[in-house]
Amino acid sequence: MAYSNHNYPVALAPEAVFASTPGEPMSSGDRIVLIDDDRVVGEIVSALAKAMGLQCDVTRTPEDFFGRIGSDTSLILLDLVMPEMDGIEILRLLGERNCRARIVLMSGINIRVIETAKKLAQSLGLCVVGHLQKPFPITQLQELLGANVAPEKPAYPQNEQRIAIPDEDLRRAFDHDQFVIYYQPQINIATGIVTGVEALSRWEHPELGLIFPDNFIHRIEALGLMDRFCWITAERALNEVKQFSASNSHLPRLAINISVSSLRDLKFPDILVNLARKYDFPAERIVLEITESGLMEFSLALDVLTRLRMRNFQLSIDDFGTGYSMMKQLQNVPAIELKIDKTFVRHMHDHHADLVMVEKIIEMGHELEMEVIAEGVETEEQYRILREKGCDGVQGFLFSRALPPIEIVRWLESHRAQQVQ
């Protein structure tokens, strides 16, 4: 059997796939396999792995590489540019054999090419955990090896498991007032002060417990109940934030997500004005978050958005960078805030394209005289990068997950006390 047009025997049988699965920590018996035609790189990686107590097999040819791979291979360091067979061909072969090892891509070529190779590997079902652009600092290699020997698990789940829920349960949730609001604080990067809270809906199911919106929002839309759901959410949030802010005489900005259907309703601004008056909640302290997709029906949306701003409500464009809005539309929307989607924040420290997106969104937001908030901030490294790039605000697990009313009150009080000290 041959690799493409090369006559190297394939030593990796289909059943001899890697023992570990993506994301699992390596045990002390697991091995690293490096393939790189540069002898110096091999010596550096081998020496560092040995110093860290890891076993590393250094190979320079595809034949040797596949001959070293076994059931205890857990991490592969793969050079993309080699004289006999390039890394893309090797990735394809690994994908065909359902490789489950974690992979680090290495090369001295343009970073965008490396990232394209990463996307290819992911499309083949491979687990790429990082890249090294030559010449790379030893500390970067050390961090990659260390992270994959004992990777830290996130404090909170990144993706909630999808649950199949009968429509009758969902209708019953409306009738029995089972929807609740959790609040996630938003922090000003320059001062560390809490500027606001975002209201996030949850469903307290009597049998299944707390259910996240990914499991029911699409069904609410399909059942034609979105308007009813949005008004329930808005009224509960206004009431609760007004109540829990009374204890410390501080009313944070309240961010509420509004639906596309609300932007089609010409009565929406007037109804919201009356609701804010009912709870004596200043309109300028209410931030209405809209997604880029909500700007698709632009003429009607612009009517509603303009009248909302004339009534002093604040507007924020949520999940920016993932939707459909055109630059001209963004320029015309009277928003005061852009929110960087968490998918860009999550990998910006090791994915150049994501970092560029974050930089450009911050730059564009500021040029349009908007504040820019980054969602999904989970690490000090992400926080540092955002601060250096001039981002205005952040929210995410680094500070707090979304909390129910009683807990967010305690968190806000504790945070304010720390700021005073």
Side-chain angles (χ1 to χ4, degrees), residues 372-397:
V372 181
I373 292 182
E375 295 183 295
V377 180
E378 299 180 1
T379 69
E380 290 287 351
E381 176 70 3
Q382 293 167 349
Y383 184 65
R384 179 189 63 79
I385 293 173
L386 290 166
R387 186 173 59 244
E388 291 177 352
K389 301 303 179 184
C391 190
D392 300 296
V394 291
Q395 67 182 89
F397 291 162

Side-chain angles (χ1 to χ4, degrees), residues 99-219:
C99 171
R100 292 295 177 262
R102 288 158 293 195
I103 299 172
V104 173
L105 302 178
M106 305 188 304
S107 184
I109 58 179
N110 184 279
I111 184 65
R112 293 187 64 187
V113 177
I114 298 176
E115 290 173 354
T116 300
K118 178 179 178 180
K119 292 177 182 177
L120 168 65
Q122 292 170 338
S123 73
L124 295 171
L126 301 173
C127 177
V128 178
V129 295
H131 67 262
L132 293 167
Q133 188 172 25
K134 299 178 181 179
F136 52 82
I138 300 299
T139 53
Q140 187 179 0
L141 172 63
Q142 186 175 15
E143 288 173 2
L144 269 174
L145 296 183
N148 287 283
V149 170
E152 294 183 1
K153 290 183 170 59
Y156 304 98
Q158 298 298 310
N159 296 299
E160 299 297 328
Q161 185 177 1
R162 285 297 182 105
I163 306 170
I165 303 169
D167 288 347
E168 54 267 27
D169 281 14
L170 197 50
R171 291 190 176 95
R172 194 177 300 115
F174 281 91
D175 297 335
H176 292 80
D177 196 25
Q178 293 174 359
F179 296 110
V180 296
I181 308 295
Y182 278 45
Y183 300 90
Q184 187 171 43
Q186 299 173 332
I187 314 293
N188 180 285
I189 286 185
T191 64
I193 295 173
V194 175
T195 57
V197 294
E198 180 179 0
L200 299 167
S201 300
R202 304 287 187 262
W203 178 7
E204 285 191 338
H205 194 283
E207 285 87 32
L208 300 176
L210 198 66
I211 300 176
F212 286 73
D214 284 351
N215 288 297
F216 61 82
I217 287 294
H218 65 290
R219 292 306 308 151

